[in-house]
Amino acid sequence: MPDPPQKPLVLVSNRGPVTFDTDGTISRGTGGLVTALTGLASHRPVTWIASAMGRGDADRSRQAGGKAFTVQSPVGGDYDVRLVVSDEQAYEGFYSIISNPMLWFIQHYLWDLSNAPDIRTHEVEAYDYGYKLVNEDMADAVVEEIDGVENPVVMVHDYHLYLLPGMIRKRRPDVFLHHFVHIPWSQSDSWRVLPPRMREEIYRGILANDIIGFHTRSYRRNFLQCCEDLLDLEVDHKQGVVKIDDREVWVRAYPLPIDAAATRAVSRRVRVRQFEDELLRRRRDFMILRVDRADLSKNVLRGFSAFDLFLEQHPEFIERVTFVAQLMPSRTDVAEYQEYLERIEALVAVVNHRHGTPDWMPIQLKLRDDLEEAMASYRHYDAHIVNAMFDGMNLVAKEGPIVNERDGVSILSENTGAHEELGEFALTVNPFDVQDLANMIHRALTMSGAERKRRADGLREIVLDRSPGDWIDDQLADIRGKAAGAPAHDEV
């Protein structure tokens, strides 16, 4: 078989690179996935197919006759984008019932199984007439986009679209399908939350791909084991191959780097300097930082509880340290997330009341998404906390070290994808051990300058070693190799 052609390469994801307001104004798409794919789209020509996120997107899609059109992102770059409009009720079931929270909770181990979920007709219908339907809408767009193209290459992204590859494969058996999952892949028992029919359809959908990618070797191992445990398939764990329907599916690990040059460029903006001036004016001896979405998986409450414990056990730090927490509200239409945000605000109030003084507030909580404000804080933290319960990668763990100017110490959960790369130079914590995190805060703030520098230099070297271009090239090389009939190779 010849190498896949250079064009067209089709990207498919739920969110696209831009969103349109009803007045026609354009905003950059949000989320780490969009950041990653924007790098891919700028690396080579692509057509990017995504869901219409609202009325503005739907209006722009209709103006284009439902076809692809070229758009310029407000942050730079031209993209050929096709926005797919689905029925509003179907999209609600697809996104707010099945994708989030059902699949997100399964893959981050978030369900309290003694209480939830209860799968009833409501959830089954959301799957059959929501998740399936939106996947079908996206599949229709992909099949139309690759019509008449020999050996087309389609790169599918994330958990919203697990059924899509199987739908495309049935209609275009010659297509080369690559699927990257940006969140953790949990162990097999967690998937038994789903009814067997639903579970098998999801697995057979994603196994219609030629290559499936994850951020870490750990999530790759989990997926391979799931294929054995849940579908009784033949699996080669060493080479990362699943055999199904006379096909071999490669399962690979592609850790996602950050664009270091772009990150540092943002940190040098004038508005960042303005935030810095204010931060330094109010700064105490030490600053602890976290920058996160207010997502259940990020483990924000235990982070604040550990800081509370740290202040209780080390009163010598009273009035000398500030914990700056910049949290972006997330999925506020999901009840569990509304409640979580309320609990965060309540706990911050308790900690500030317990330890604060008339002129010192221990925790500064900022509930907003402001990249430039976050960059100002990145430059000056002494300790950076990333204590997620489970995370696909967690790019903030990579952004902080290359911007920070104080040899700040990274405190990193062992269950983040980033830990597989950065663990040697971070202070490792178990995300459920609040006392351990309190101890690590103390260790970070009392660490010698030489040790801080050694760790900070190590983190920077690892983060700067690979770029998004390398991440893309690794995947494209595997696409070319598998399409040409090369055997699977062992993971390094």
Side-chain angles (χ1 to χ4, degrees), residues 26 64 87 119 150 158 233 264 341 396 412 417 433 460 468:
I26 304 173
D87 174 81
I119 297 177
E150 293 184 9
D158 233 359
L233 295 173
R264 285 175 163 172
L341 195 57
V396 302
L412 186 59
D433 190 337
R460 280 190 287 267

Side-chain angles (χ1 to χ4, degrees), residues 420-438:
E420 211 166 77
E421 298 173 87
L422 307 181
E424 178 184 356
F425 296 102
L427 294 182
T428 299
V429 292
N430 178 292
F432 306 100
D433 190 337
V434 175
Q435 181 63 66
D436 184 39
L437 179 52

Side-chain angles (χ1 to χ4, degrees), residues 32 35-37 39 180 215 254-260 263 393-395 398-399 402 421 462-475:
T35 301
L37 298 194
F180 191 87
H215 281 305
Y254 306 107
L256 177 62
I258 63 167
D259 187 334
T263 302
M393 174 51 69
N394 200 303
L395 295 179
K398 296 184 174 185
E399 291 170 350
I402 65 161
E421 298 173 87
I462 292 170
V463 174
L464 295 173
D465 184 57
R466 294 178 72 249
S467 72
D470 297 320
W471 181 73
I472 295 157
D473 288 341
D474 289 346
Q475 293 173 74

Side-chain angles (χ1 to χ4, degrees), residues 20 37 67 100 103 118 128 135 163-164 179 181 200 225 249 327 355 391 395 397 460 472 475:
F20 293 85
L37 298 194
K67 309 297 184 184
N100 305 296
L103 294 174
D118 292 335
D128 285 333
N135 272 256
L163 300 179
L164 177 80
H179 199 136
V181 181
E200 183 159 338
Q225 192 63 51
V249 182
L327 305 178
H355 301 287
D391 223 336
L395 295 179
R460 280 190 287 267
I472 295 157
Q475 293 173 74

